[in-house]
Amino acid sequence: MQKLNFPEYTFRFKNSENKVAIFDEIRKKFIVLTPEEWVRQHVVRFLLNDKKFPKSHVNVEKIVKINGMNKRYDVVVFNPNGSIYLIVECKAPAVPISQITFDQIARYNMTLNATHLMVTNGLNHYFCRMDHEAEKYIFLEDVPPYIPQN
């Protein structure tokens, strides 16, 4: 798989039915390794190892209803109170990040109401904080690290 713009991480792999699978710490199972999954697994490790989000607050690939249609988000990080801190949209490295990508995560966020968004193809990462009152993104250099709540 392609080298991504993340720190080096160690992953578990296995071969099954002539396909390579990677172990997902959050889902606790092996997932077929696609280019998008490679990015998603790097994002999960980045959030757990580098940003110190608790594993119990991270959720991967769940269905959410958007305008009556079932959609699937890539990664969500919850606050301790159950509200959503961060939504991450992952694309394969060959997929350029475009306005369409931001429109997709913005549609998801109309339902999920996260305070932060991250869009990445593993090579380019974009982070922003939502200003819900002004209905705009405020771009950030990085996603803020987890700060435990008392």
Side-chain angles (χ1 to χ4, degrees):
M1 278 285 159
Q2 181 174 352
K3 173 136 179 46
L4 302 177
N5 188 13
F6 283 103
E8 291 282 327
Y9 301 115
T10 303
F11 296 100
R12 287 175 42 206
F13 300 96
K14 78 172 186 178
N15 283 313
S16 176
E17 299 174 18
N18 293 328
K19 292 185 180 176
V20 176
I22 188 168
F23 188 76
D24 183 313
E25 283 186 59
I26 304 301
R27 292 179 273 185
K28 294 181 175 47
K29 64 181 182 178
F30 282 92
I31 306 295
V32 172
L33 184 58
T34 63
E36 183 177 320
E37 191 62 41
W38 184 236
V39 172
R40 187 170 20 256
Q41 291 306 313
H42 276 78
V43 165
V44 168
R45 289 294 173 88
F46 171 72
L47 295 173
L48 297 177
N49 298 1
D50 298 271
K51 295 301 172 183
K52 306 300 184 202
F53 288 102
K55 192 185 288 189
S56 61
H57 293 204
V58 179
N59 207 311
V60 176
E61 284 239 294
K62 293 284 191 221
I63 292 175
V64 60
K65 278 217 182 285
I66 309 288
N67 296 328
M69 295 171 48
N70 285 342
K71 300 290 184 179
R72 189 179 296 270
Y73 61 70
D74 286 309
V75 181
V76 163
V77 178
F78 291 93
N79 288 307
N81 68 4
S83 64
I84 297 177
Y85 180 77
L86 172 70
I87 304 171
V88 184
E89 179 60 31
C90 301
K91 297 295 183 191
V95 177
I97 302 300
S98 66
Q99 186 62 48
I100 292 166
T101 314
F102 279 98
D103 292 346
Q104 178 183 1
I105 199 168
R107 276 193 307 276
Y108 289 9
N109 202 35
M110 288 170 69
T111 299
L112 299 174
N113 208 29
T115 54
H116 293 83
L117 306 177
M118 176 181 176
V119 176
T120 182
N121 63 4
L123 304 173
N124 300 302
H125 318 300
Y126 298 93
F127 309 96
C128 56
R129 182 174 52 80
M130 293 302 301
D131 181 339
H132 291 286
E133 286 184 20
E135 296 183 351
K136 67 177 184 175
Y137 312 118
I138 298 163
F139 283 89
L140 306 170
E141 290 294 313
D142 198 357
V143 73
Y146 177 73
I147 299 168
Q149 309 286 318
N150 292 344

